[in-house]
Amino acid sequence: MKERYDPHEIEEKWQRKWAESKIFQPEPDAREKFFITIPYPYLNGNLHAGHTRTFTIGDVIARFKRMQGYNVLFPMGFHATGTPIVGLAEQIQKKDPETIRVYNKLHEIPMDVLDTIQTPEQIVGYFSREAEAAMKSIGFSIDWRRKFTTTDPHYIKFITWQFNLLHEKNKVVRGAHPVRWCPNDENPVEDHDILKGEDATIIDYTLIKFELDGDILPCATLRPETVFGVTNLWVNPKNDHVRIKANDENWIVSKEAYLKLKFTDKKVELTGNVNSDELIGKKVKNPVTGSLVLVLPASFVSPDNGSGIVMSVPAHAPYDYLALRDLKGTDLTGYGMTEDVSGIPLISLIKVPEYGKYPAVDAVNELKVKDQNDPKAEEATKLVYRREFHGGVLTETTGKYAGMAVSKIKDVLTRDLIDRGIADVFYEFSEQPVICRCGATCVIKMVENQWFLNYSDTAWKEEVYRCLGNMRIIPPEIRVDFENKIDWLKDKACARRKGLGTRLPWDREWMIESLGDSTIYMCYYIIAKYLDKFTPEQLKEDFFNYCLLGYGTPEKVAENTGIALGIIKSIRSDFEYWYPVDLRSSGKDLIPNHLLFFLFHHVAIFPEAYWPRTIAINGFVSLEGQKMSKSKGPLLTLKSAVKEYGADITRLYILSTAEHVQDADWRAADVDSTRKQVERFYKTAFDIIRSDDKDDLKLIDKWMLSRLQYRIRETTDALDKMQTRRAVQNAFYLLMNDMKWYERRGGKAARRDILGTWVRLMAPFTPHICEELWNELGSGFISLAGFPVQDAALINKGAELAEEVTANTLRDIEEILRLIKIKPKKIVLYTAATWKNTVLRKGITMKKENTLDMKNFMGALMSDPAMRAHGKDIPKFAQKVITDIQGMDSEMMNTLIEVDFDEISALREAREFLSQAVDCSIEIYSEDKPEYDPQKKSRFAAPMRPAIYIE
RNA sequence: GCGGGGGUAACCAAGCGGCCAAAGGUGCAGGACUUAAGAUCCUGUUGCGCAGGCAUUCGUGGGUUCAAAUCCCACCCCCCGCACCA
């Protein structure tokens, strides 16, 4: 080995040797298997620091498990399905300047190369080559024989089989669903297509059909239960209204609402204009209560929201109450009305703790809202809504719904009303307007005949729950996330009109959406090793049915497909060996989508024995505090990080900077300091390897070996819980500090031994440098060596206490010297008298028996004749001992009473060290027999705390 | 709004009932080494203190306990997700 640490040389060398010796290409054997997968990367860019983190965590666990003796399978593939790559190809072909800039600067693709990746196929080819090279350059222990891309013909056969199966099992069904739609492009709009209104969500209003002489006045509301409290309808005289035919009904709505309705699943046809005067002053029938109510004018009614016709519930809606109040004294005879509007009685239907019978009235008074045009009306509305939603209960007014919580009523009631034919659902953006990149205003369109995965199916959800219940989730806190998301998941459209991927086998104009085709592909890694043994055409349904599900017989499959019988049998037995997935480790962004679907599809397709075992989640990576972005920057590619720092330093840094779901922040300054630490590690190791220390083990060696056991235990425990940061802290930084102290204390004899363990402890994190060092220390690859196991026999509490006393004493002396600011001539230490140790032990014993108080303690002590000799010193000391013991944890107490610790000889062994450290001669006595004690300092000695006298 | 996570010293970040004035790293200051710089190693980094001590700290305000950064209650602030998009 070389004296100077050269990461790139070492890393290339060991990566070559790993590949040559094929040590990461596992085959089934007698060992217990461990199958770990990380979601394959999507090929619309280069791997970045986020991938680096997720994949490195996976690799560390793979290496850790391998060293623990598991037969580890860690494969990798590439995801290319969907629309982004097609879109990217179009942008590159168009030479879109922004795209060119992003891919040249952020993704570091040279301009001449960029010219050669014009088609989706070229893009996929380029990025998969780059990704593989990058993952190799950072030393991932991946079995590359099993790589594939989701656009491969073999894979398409696999997905075809899967979807046919799901279709048969009724997991794929037909339906309609609302999407954001650009009428100009005639396409659904995705987030990045939106110019304005990105945050707008689709909310569903209930449309309640009030009747007017054979016409229907639909009123959109988010609170359908308030239909029981309707006193009138509102129409804005300034708005334009139209009469339309909606399916078989005649509706009257605002002109704007008509335009929106055209995109819904209703067949609408314009049949004429309607003047506001034709509506205002008329009486309409409430379809739910049957009562007749007036249509009245109000200025707050917007034509853009809902149908443009609003039902009025003044008891619970501040706007309605205000508008009604505003009408007081207004002359309505122009509308042909003679009714006294001010006499309309309010109808209360919700009881809520914060308010009286009419919450809207109370809120308006509370906030002193002037009229319907006062901005505070909005505030009052939100306040009432919030309180009624959370604390409100429906009253008798609502008939059979009385007693229900407001928060629970909406879906139930809407369902009931739709079933009775007196309501509909109407979708509306939560914010308006929503503008497409092309400049057009977006609408909500019902996409018909869409294919769905019916995730909302409760029986299916139950199975997923059961699966989750038997799984390990890391970290455990996020289990509740999964539970919530399972509840929340609705049917998911699983087909698209464009993009790369697999066609829906029974409806070939649709492409299978790309999240659906990546749910059970982990089992495909098992097949992927054999791809040269058959053509895609040979992969018929019964091949998968047998190999993955065990249906049928291998002989029949061989006959039917022409695939060699032996191959079919091998694949099936490989599957039975490797499956299920033991660990799927992923970034937290995939929880509400991919990981959820991963579970759903596994429970739908496989028997319980093959359901996933563990999911682990990690957070994102930011750069110098800034959020990373593939499309906007900043971006740090894996390739450039490794190029600059080397694989081991990059790995160690990214693992040590954050734990679990926390986001990691990549800071160049900190990476630099990691590099220094790694260099120091290398230098320390180099010195030890070069040296030739043979000596008997001293107390300090025993201390160091004892510390090492503790670090082994912590590192192992941390890795079991996938706490990479804690693992690195223990295996690297804390152990490094132990080594510093050990060397400072003159430790030598155990160094080589310790290094052998240390290097193995570090091997999962920094495998290359550890191979290089192991090459000098052990035999074979360290990647295949045994992970250190704690040796309880090497734990030496006595040695640890000795070092603790030494270190504490040194600190005390230094503190005193700092304060008195003199150059000492001589320092004298006095260890505590025997009787004080006896008192301490007695105190601890009594504490453990829960009998320790001053009275008991004194009684017990004074009953001992040997103690009475110190009678006058005992009370004060006993008091101090009680206080000290109160602050001790049980481990410390046990150590102090169980370990036979000779304080004075420990200090004597450390005398030379202490003396050098403070540059002064040191004498050590026991308080029992202080040969030199001019200031009577020895009486201040306490166990583990020698008295100090400085001349 | 709903759901989840989080607020700890100059900064990042551990700790989640007791050796906690609080791990580790960074930064800063001092010292050792060196011709010097760098690297490395020590020491310090809330305040006060000429004997190892004391006082006050862990978002804010209350409470429980012999003992709270850690448990309970209320409040304030920050971050993330809410879909048909990978």
Side-chain angles (χ1 to χ4, degrees):
Chain A
M1 73 185 280
K2 292 190 177 167
E3 182 163 5
R4 210 180 62 85
Y5 173 50
D6 182 343
H8 292 105
E9 189 187 323
I10 292 175
E11 286 161 10
E12 277 163 29
K13 170 173 145 195
W14 289 102
Q15 282 162 14
R16 200 179 59 241
K17 292 195 181 220
W18 292 334
E20 282 165 2
S21 57
K22 304 185 192 312
I23 58 172
F24 302 132
Q25 300 184 359
E27 292 299 337
D29 61 27
R31 288 175 294 165
E32 193 175 335
K33 62 94 182 181
F34 188 82
F35 184 16
I36 173 173
T37 67
I38 314 287
Y40 43 28
Y42 192 75
L43 294 178
N44 67 339
N46 273 319
L47 299 184
H48 52 71
H51 296 109
T52 308
R53 182 170 177 207
T54 303
F55 294 165
T56 301
I57 291 170
D59 187 56
V60 166
I61 298 302
R63 287 177 173 277
F64 169 62
K65 288 284 178 184
R66 198 177 286 118
M67 289 179 73
Q68 283 192 320
Y70 290 89
N71 192 15
V72 172
L73 174 57
F74 179 29
M76 188 57 69
F78 304 104
H79 198 196
T81 326
T83 52
I85 290 172
V86 176
L88 176 59
E90 285 165 11
Q91 296 300 318
I92 293 179
Q93 281 164 28
K94 271 200 296 193
K95 297 207 186 303
D96 173 65
E98 177 60 11
T99 305
I100 300 296
R101 187 192 72 81
V102 163
Y103 280 83
N104 175 237
K105 292 283 185 301
L106 300 181
H107 291 269
E108 297 161 345
I109 303 170
M111 289 306 284
D112 55 326
V113 176
L114 209 44
D115 286 339
T116 67
I117 52 172
Q118 301 273 328
T119 66
E121 292 71 26
Q122 288 166 336
I123 290 172
V124 167
Y126 175 77
F127 283 125
S128 61
R129 283 191 303 277
E130 285 290 306
E132 182 174 344
M135 288 192 255
K136 284 177 173 165
S137 78
I138 197 169
F140 293 156
S141 56
I142 289 169
D143 181 356
W144 285 108
R145 294 173 303 167
R146 299 167 189 273
K147 72 176 174 192
F148 65 85
T149 302
T150 58
T151 46
D152 294 345
H154 289 91
Y155 189 80
I156 284 170
K157 288 288 179 185
F158 165 66
I159 296 302
T160 303
W161 165 78
Q162 186 197 334
F163 269 75
N164 273 329
L165 187 62
L166 290 169
H167 194 209
E168 275 167 37
K169 288 176 180 259
N170 267 325
K171 302 297 182 193
V172 185
V173 295
R174 239 175 181 189
H177 84 296
V179 295
R180 289 184 300 207
W181 183 265
C182 173
N184 183 40
D185 296 346
E186 300 201 320
N187 236 331
V189 279
E190 294 160 20
D191 270 349
H192 58 265
D193 291 329
I194 290 177
L195 205 61
K196 187 163 181 279
E198 258 189 72
D199 293 332
T201 56
I202 297 176
I203 47 181
D204 45 335
Y205 284 84
T206 306
L207 212 52
I208 298 178
K209 300 175 186 174
F210 284 75
E211 295 160 28
L212 169 66
D213 303 334
D215 288 331
I216 282 173
L217 296 180
C219 297
T221 175
L222 287 170
R223 308 178 58 193
E225 70 278 8
T226 60
V227 71
F228 292 100
V230 171
T231 58
N232 59 286
L233 299 192
W234 297 118
V235 162
N236 193 335
K238 293 201 186 89
N239 298 346
D240 296 327
H241 296 88
V242 294
R243 178 176 277 109
I244 58 173
K245 204 159 176 80
N247 290 351
D248 296 330
E249 297 168 343
N250 290 313
W251 286 18
I252 295 171
V253 295
S254 72
K255 206 169 121 196
E256 290 78 357
Y258 155 63
L259 296 174
K260 289 184 233 171
L261 282 165
K262 285 204 292 190
F263 293 94
T264 66
D265 52 355
K266 290 202 182 311
K267 232 175 76 201
V268 294
E269 192 189 327
L270 185 65
T271 54
N273 291 325
V274 178
N275 198 309
S276 309
D277 297 349
E278 295 174 43
L279 303 173
I280 296 169
K282 296 277 164 35
K283 285 210 164 175
V284 297
K285 187 174 142 206
N286 182 329
V288 177
T289 63
S291 60
L292 291 174
V293 295
L294 273 172
V295 180
L296 297 173
S299 59
F300 75 89
V301 177
S302 156
D304 289 315
N305 211 321
S307 59
I309 297 173
V310 174
M311 63 186 209
S312 168
V313 190
H316 301 285
Y319 272 111
D320 297 339
Y321 169 68
L322 289 163
L324 211 50
R325 200 174 69 177
D326 292 347
L327 280 183
K328 217 178 254 178
T330 315
D331 177 20
L332 295 172
T333 51
Y335 298 108
M337 291 173 60
T338 51
E339 288 88 347
D340 178 13
V341 173
S342 63
I344 293 180
L346 272 51
I347 304 169
S348 172
L349 67 129
I350 292 167
K351 224 176 130 205
V352 68
E354 288 92 340
Y355 294 119
K357 198 171 179 190
Y358 305 118
V361 180
D362 293 347
V364 162
N365 292 337
E366 189 187 329
L367 296 176
K368 301 191 172 55
V369 190
K370 283 204 299 288
D371 57 34
Q372 59 188 303
N373 299 314
D374 185 341
K376 276 192 287 195
E378 188 62 39
E379 199 183 322
T381 300
K382 283 187 174 147
L383 195 66
V384 173
Y385 183 86
R386 191 163 61 232
R387 291 183 171 168
E388 289 189 343
F389 184 83
H390 289 110
V393 174
L394 298 177
T395 68
E396 303 305 324
T397 316
T398 62
K400 68 170 178 174
Y401 303 105
M404 277 188 74
V406 173
S407 56
K408 298 269 193 304
I409 184 68
K410 184 178 173 186
D411 290 347
V412 178
L413 182 62
T414 303
R415 191 74 259 151
D416 288 356
L417 299 183
I418 290 173
D419 288 347
R420 286 167 59 191
I422 54 178
D424 266 315
V425 174
F426 181 76
Y427 295 98
E428 187 79 275
F429 288 123
S430 63
E431 277 175 37
Q432 306 208 33
V434 175
I435 310 281
C436 176
R437 245 207 285 212
C438 74
T441 302
C442 297
V443 296
I444 293 164
K445 180 180 166 69
M446 286 303 280
V447 177
E448 316 253 5
N449 295 326
Q450 170 68 280
W451 289 100
F452 287 90
L453 283 157
N454 65 336
Y455 293 138
S456 63
D457 179 46
T458 46
W460 198 356
K461 287 189 179 189
E462 280 308 312
E463 290 284 275
V464 176
Y465 263 124
R466 200 151 64 77
C467 172
L468 185 72
N470 291 322
M471 284 180 76
R472 190 169 168 218
I473 302 292
I474 300 173
E477 306 90 83
I478 57 161
R479 179 179 295 276
V480 63
D481 270 310
F482 278 97
E483 289 167 353
N484 290 342
K485 298 299 181 198
I486 292 170
D487 274 343
W488 153 94
L489 194 64
K490 300 190 185 121
D491 287 355
K492 165 136 177 53
C494 63
R496 299 221 58 187
R497 291 288 183 187
K498 62 174 202 174
L500 303 177
T502 305
R503 291 191 178 279
L504 212 51
W506 61 87
D507 190 356
R508 296 190 54 83
E509 57 193 277
W510 293 95
M511 303 293 295
I512 291 167
E513 190 274 327
S514 74
L515 284 168
D517 80 355
S518 54
T519 52
I520 60 159
Y521 70 89
M522 310 82 209
C523 67
Y524 186 78
Y525 285 122
I526 291 160
I527 298 172
K529 201 190 90 183
Y530 296 95
L531 293 187
D532 58 339
K533 308 292 189 221
F534 36 70
T535 63
E537 291 69 36
Q538 288 176 288
L539 295 182
K540 298 185 179 164
E541 304 267 309
D542 59 354
F543 166 84
F544 294 108
N545 282 333
Y546 174 72
C547 290
L548 301 177
L549 299 177
Y551 297 161
T553 65
E555 290 76 16
K556 273 209 169 140
V557 175
E559 192 189 319
N560 189 12
T561 62
I563 300 170
L565 180 64
I567 297 296
I568 294 166
K569 283 182 167 169
S570 290
I571 294 174
R572 179 62 190 165
S573 72
D574 282 6
F575 175 83
E576 286 174 333
Y577 178 78
W578 291 115
Y579 234 62
V581 173
D582 293 287
L583 171 63
R584 186 144 182 92
S585 186
S586 157
K588 61 184 173 187
D589 50 327
L590 300 187
I591 297 174
N593 42 70
H594 164 70
L595 290 170
L596 217 47
F597 307 154
F598 164 66
L599 298 182
F600 271 83
H601 288 235
H602 269 85
V603 306
I605 290 171
F606 292 106
E608 192 166 347
Y610 293 128
W611 292 358
R613 297 272 164 81
T614 308
I615 285 178
I617 296 298
N618 61 267
F620 304 138
V621 179
S622 57
L623 294 179
E624 312 287 345
Q626 262 191 293
K627 210 167 158 177
M628 226 176 15
S629 163
K630 277 204 254 193
S631 56
K632 295 186 189 111
L635 193 74
L636 174 69
T637 62
L638 195 167
K639 187 178 174 179
S640 67
V642 170
K643 192 173 163 204
E644 178 157 8
Y645 297 101
D648 285 335
I649 289 162
T650 301
R651 294 168 62 108
L652 190 65
Y653 176 74
I654 201 102
L655 292 174
S656 66
T657 187
E659 200 86 285
H660 285 328
V661 293
Q662 290 172 337
D663 292 344
D665 191 25
W666 179 283
R667 303 179 187 210
D670 289 357
V671 189
D672 266 331
S673 91
T674 301
R675 168 173 40 210
K676 284 177 195 161
Q677 305 273 24
V678 172
E679 281 167 359
R680 178 159 63 184
F681 173 62
Y682 186 87
K683 186 180 182 307
T684 304
F686 182 82
D687 290 347
I688 293 172
I689 287 166
R690 279 293 185 79
S691 68
D692 185 21
D693 312 306
K694 289 207 178 69
D695 205 349
D696 292 334
L697 291 189
K698 296 208 215 37
L699 201 54
I700 189 62
D701 301 307
K702 292 177 183 162
W703 173 83
M704 184 64 216
L705 286 166
S706 188
R707 297 302 289 175
L708 180 63
Q709 304 315 309
Y710 184 70
R711 302 300 178 215
I712 292 170
R713 191 186 77 193
E714 289 294 300
T715 306
T716 307
D717 185 60
L719 283 176
D720 280 336
K721 294 172 180 157
M722 294 184 70
Q723 296 170 320
T724 57
R725 179 187 156 85
R726 181 174 152 231
V728 169
Q729 286 285 327
N730 278 281
F732 193 58
Y733 290 100
L734 296 177
L735 192 46
M736 178 98 77
N737 287 347
D738 292 338
M739 282 295 271
K740 272 194 223 169
W741 177 254
Y742 174 64
E743 293 196 12
R744 193 178 165 205
R745 291 280 282 108
K748 275 197 162 55
R751 287 202 306 176
R752 207 179 165 91
D753 233 29
I754 286 160
L755 183 64
T757 305
W758 193 7
V759 170
R760 281 180 295 129
L761 214 48
M762 285 299 294
F765 312 105
T766 54
H768 311 85
I769 190 173
C770 291
E771 288 285 9
E772 182 74 4
L773 297 173
W774 186 249
N775 202 32
E776 309 280 339
L777 293 162
S779 62
F781 287 104
I782 199 168
S783 299
L784 303 178
F787 196 75
V789 176
Q790 184 185 32
D791 181 353
L794 289 175
I795 293 175
N796 190 326
K797 294 281 184 188
E800 287 181 29
L801 285 179
E803 274 321 288
E804 201 176 322
V805 170
T806 304
N808 287 345
T809 305
L810 177 60
R811 198 176 322 120
D812 283 350
I813 295 172
E814 283 176 337
E815 184 171 354
I816 297 168
L817 289 177
R818 208 176 308 124
L819 283 170
I820 61 178
K821 298 189 180 75
I822 60 161
K823 173 82 185 143
K825 288 201 294 262
K826 175 157 98 177
I827 296 173
V828 190
L829 304 176
Y830 310 92
T831 58
T834 315
W835 69 267
K836 286 181 176 170
N837 281 291
T838 312
V839 171
L840 177 65
R841 284 167 189 237
K842 183 70 194 164
I844 291 173
T845 310
M846 291 178 72
K847 170 73 184 177
K848 287 171 74 102
E849 290 162 355
N850 234 335
T851 57
L852 184 66
D853 63 44
M854 194 55 185
K855 189 159 161 270
N856 287 339
F857 197 24
M858 286 305 292
L861 292 172
M862 287 317 211
S863 69
D864 179 354
M867 279 293 148
R868 277 188 226 123
H870 307 283
K872 65 175 176 15
D873 297 324
I874 284 181
K876 199 176 162 200
F877 184 69
Q879 191 61 60
K880 180 174 148 34
V881 163
I882 290 177
T883 315
D884 287 352
I885 291 173
Q886 294 286 19
M888 283 181 196
D889 60 21
S890 56
E891 197 186 330
M892 187 64 192
M893 288 195 271
N894 290 339
T895 304
L896 284 175
I897 52 174
E898 284 161 15
V899 177
D900 184 28
F901 171 55
D902 183 357
E903 192 174 337
I904 196 159
S905 60
L907 279 174
R908 283 185 175 143
E909 191 164 334
R911 170 162 52 195
E912 197 184 330
F913 161 72
L914 289 171
S915 171
Q916 274 175 11
V918 296
D919 194 20
C920 174
S921 73
I922 292 180
E923 290 172 18
I924 301 167
Y925 305 107
S926 165
E927 184 190 353
D928 287 328
K929 210 169 54 170
E931 286 163 33
Y932 179 79
D933 189 10
Q935 288 198 2
K936 296 277 176 261
K937 288 282 186 191
S938 67
R939 63 201 163 94
F940 296 117
M944 297 294 291
R945 202 88 208 265
I948 299 167
Y949 167 60
I950 298 179
E951 254 177 24

